[in-house]
Amino acid sequence: MFLDKIQNTIKKYSLLAKADKVIVGVSGGPDSVALCLALQKLKEAWNLKLYVAHLDHGLRAGSGKDVEFVRKLCRNLEIEFFSKKIEVRRFCPVGSLEEAARKARFEFFSALSKKLNADKLALGHNLDDQAETVLMRLIRGAGLSGLSAILPKRDINGLCVIRPLIETSRYEINGFLGKENAAYRSDPTNKEDIFLRNRIRKYLLPLLEKNYNKNIKAVLASLAQVSGQDYLFIEEEARNIFRTIARNKKNVVISLNLNKLKLLPVSLRRMVIRLSIAKVQGDTRRIEFRHLAEIEDLLINRPVLSIVHLPKGLEASKSKSGLDFSIR
């Protein structure tokens, strides 16, 4: 049963607590609509207060129809609806439009969460999304963080994000929508071959299923689950270490004690470095394994006053006593 599977995921990862206030991010696509319908059906069992949020990025001509579709859905389900429109292109003259849209979404969700005093933000990522993400990360080059892909529960800048559909396949979601006779909106960009995720979905995953392993999606999702559990454990240990070896220094955002950092096991050392980067720039997006390897080379082999330039204007420099992170 579709709802039973979601309930199991919720309990396994402690995604919900009784009487939670939950914002559901609904784009109008099949995954988010299924998530909204499912949580509405589970509402009484968990004593939930639900809200729906929709951000119109202004990137497609038909985006206004998506807003009206979600508004009507909420009216039928008697769920309070919040929406906002922002012209992402106007705020992203350079750089990744996808990253700008993601940032705009989370700023919208975060502001709404504070306004409503909400406990959780629920998003509709599913098992297929998980498998696609793992493959994307492998192709681009990834460590444990990348293999963790989409975590079922994650704190993102103080916002608790949950993904109740993360163990549910796209096939199961479509089956549920069919039984509910539920309509949804289709995003035409999901079929465009210019996006790596779409090419993986259309060509690579079917090839792997046909010629190598018919259960490849489940295998990749399991890899993400195991990697995610290990990642979260190492991250928690690293946070405790970070508190003891990090300090503020003039003209530097974060300075890590050089000698103590060198003595750490490689896995913990890399995680402390990632935490430092996240502290300085808000996240670790665009930080790849090669960047961490270069920082480690700076730490171990390069002379004092050496500098490593990183994405987003971030730089790591080596002083006599510290590994320093700052923004150029």
Side-chain angles (χ1 to χ4, degrees), residues 47-225:
N47 189 27
L48 302 176
K49 174 62 178 176
L50 298 179
Y51 308 93
V52 163
H54 176 95
L55 182 65
D56 182 357
H57 300 99
L59 295 174
R60 292 186 292 106
S63 62
K65 294 182 180 179
D66 294 343
V67 178
E68 291 310 311
F69 172 84
V70 179
R71 191 190 306 278
K72 182 179 178 181
L73 173 69
C74 292
R75 190 162 53 243
N76 292 338
L77 296 176
E78 298 182 345
I79 299 176
E80 196 169 356
F81 174 65
F82 297 87
S83 67
K84 181 179 180 180
K85 183 172 182 178
I86 182 171
E87 298 290 342
V88 173
R89 283 194 178 91
R90 296 172 70 182
F91 298 94
C92 183
V94 294
S96 168
L97 194 61
E98 183 181 9
E99 186 173 336
R102 185 186 296 112
K103 182 180 179 182
R105 267 198 309 277
F106 274 97
E107 286 178 352
F108 169 57
F109 290 145
S110 182
L112 185 59
S113 174
K114 291 173 182 175
K115 175 183 176 181
L116 299 172
N117 195 26
D119 303 288
K120 310 279 171 59
L121 166 66
L123 299 178
H125 297 100
N126 59 49
L127 183 142
D128 291 61
D129 294 324
Q130 184 77 289
E132 292 160 10
T133 302
V134 172
L135 277 180
M136 284 176 64
R137 302 279 177 83
L138 282 170
I139 289 169
R140 288 172 172 168
L144 189 62
S145 170
L147 294 179
S148 301
I150 306 169
L151 293 170
K153 184 178 183 179
R154 191 71 192 269
D155 183 282
I156 301 179
N157 296 331
L159 183 60
C160 183
V161 179
I162 61 171
R163 297 176 171 97
L165 301 183
I166 200 63
E167 296 181 318
T168 305
S169 70
R170 199 167 284 139
Y171 177 82
E172 292 170 308
I173 288 169
N174 289 335
F176 170 71
L177 291 171
K179 287 180 181 178
E180 293 294 312
N181 196 29
Y184 55 85
R185 299 281 293 170
S186 296
D187 184 349
T189 62
N190 288 334
K191 298 179 181 180
E192 295 178 3
D193 286 355
I194 60 172
F195 298 108
L196 176 59
R197 180 182 292 276
N198 292 351
R199 297 198 299 274
I200 287 173
R201 180 183 302 152
K202 290 172 63 176
Y203 306 117
L204 183 54
L205 272 171
L207 177 68
L208 293 173
E209 283 179 318
K210 181 179 179 180
N211 296 332
Y212 297 94
N213 187 339
K214 65 180 181 180
N215 297 315
I216 188 63
K217 291 178 183 176
V219 169
L220 291 168
S222 295
L223 173 61
Q225 179 185 348

Side-chain angles (χ1 to χ4, degrees), residues 234 262-273 296:
I234 295 171
K262 286 181 180 179
L263 292 175
L264 292 177
V266 173
S267 59
L268 284 172
R269 187 165 67 214
R270 288 176 180 167
M271 186 65 76
V272 169
I273 291 171
E296 285 195 306

